Amino acid sequence: MDEELEPLFDEDAIRNKMQELADRISRDYAGSDLVIVCVLKAAAFFAADLARSLAVPSRIAFVCASSYGASTSAVTEVEIRKDIEIDISGKHVLLVDTIADSGRTLAALTARYAQRGPASIRSAVLLDKRSRRTADLRLNYVGFEIPDLFVVGYGMDFAEKYRNLPYIAVLPSSDTEGEGNRPGT
Ligand code: 5GP
Ligand code: MG
């Protein structure tokens, strides 16, 4: 059992915001169907909840991606460890991640999938650390904007821990001392 952390967003706050985003997405995509591309691993929980809350039909695909290189670099390179299997040509694609930081992961994935001829491509995140953005990325759906804090829970990890927390918490900085805290998935 992981230790208890002080929630930044509890289960109710997450659920309410998630439903608000799902309602907006459902309105925007009314009459069309959607391919949700879940950016593993962090978005596994959020994308699953979102997909179940949408009023429009959706398919779900998974990409395992992480950005690398200096986080201050504007160059958007991501390592793809597993790509989607669904053919997205002519489809409406919604990239879903739990958090945007530099924005490089979503910017690179947008560029990658734009080459496959989708009808449209947008992105949705629950949390946005906008002050850290280095990539040229326009997010279409944002739940909460947060300051530059390292958060865990609801899919987000520190060294693979805490993903299973049902709430989102700020990791005490004493826990990250001496270890890299910008893992990519
Ligand atoms: P970006 O490419 O926007 O810099 O990074 C996005 C990825 O970095 C997210 O999918 C997530 O895996 C990871 N990340 C960014 N900020 C945080 C954070 O505060 N906590 C955790 N656990 N992961 C983060
Ligand atoms: Mg991670």
Side-chain angles (χ1 to χ4, degrees), residues 1 60 82-83 89 105 111 114-115 129 161 163-164 169:
M1 181 73 184
I60 190 155
K82 181 218 165 296
D83 203 358
S89 80
T105 307
Q115 292 172 356
K129 287 201 266 190
K161 251 180 86 178
R163 289 195 199 276
N164 58 317

Side-chain angles (χ1 to χ4, degrees), residues 41-42 150 155-160 163 182-185:
K41 298 176 191 175
F150 192 80
M156 296 175 290
D157 74 312
F158 175 68
E160 295 302 325
R163 289 195 199 276
R182 303 280 179 210
T185 62

Side-chain angles (χ1 to χ4, degrees), residues 42 67 97 99-105 129 149-151 156-157 183-185:
S67 53
D97 205 343
I99 187 163
D101 184 44
S102 71
R104 294 188 306 154
T105 307
K129 287 201 266 190
L149 299 166
F150 192 80
V151 291
M156 296 175 290
D157 74 312
T185 62

Side-chain angles (χ1 to χ4, degrees), residues 87-165:
D87 176 7
I88 57 169
S89 80
K91 305 287 192 303
H92 294 285
V93 173
L94 183 65
L95 292 170
V96 175
D97 205 343
T98 309
I99 187 163
D101 184 44
S102 71
R104 294 188 306 154
T105 307
L106 286 173
L109 290 174
T110 300
R112 178 183 183 88
Y113 295 134
Q115 292 172 356
R116 300 187 191 175
S120 69
I121 180 159
R122 290 184 173 181
S123 42
V125 296
L126 182 64
L127 305 180
D128 185 13
K129 287 201 266 190
R130 212 164 138 192
S131 63
R132 289 190 34 92
R133 192 79 82 254
T134 57
D136 182 13
L137 173 69
R138 190 179 164 277
L139 294 169
N140 303 94
Y141 304 97
V142 174
F144 301 102
E145 196 175 312
I146 62 165
D148 182 12
L149 299 166
F150 192 80
V151 291
V152 294
Y154 198 54
M156 296 175 290
D157 74 312
F158 175 68
E160 295 302 325
K161 251 180 86 178
Y162 305 113
R163 289 195 199 276
N164 58 317
L165 294 180

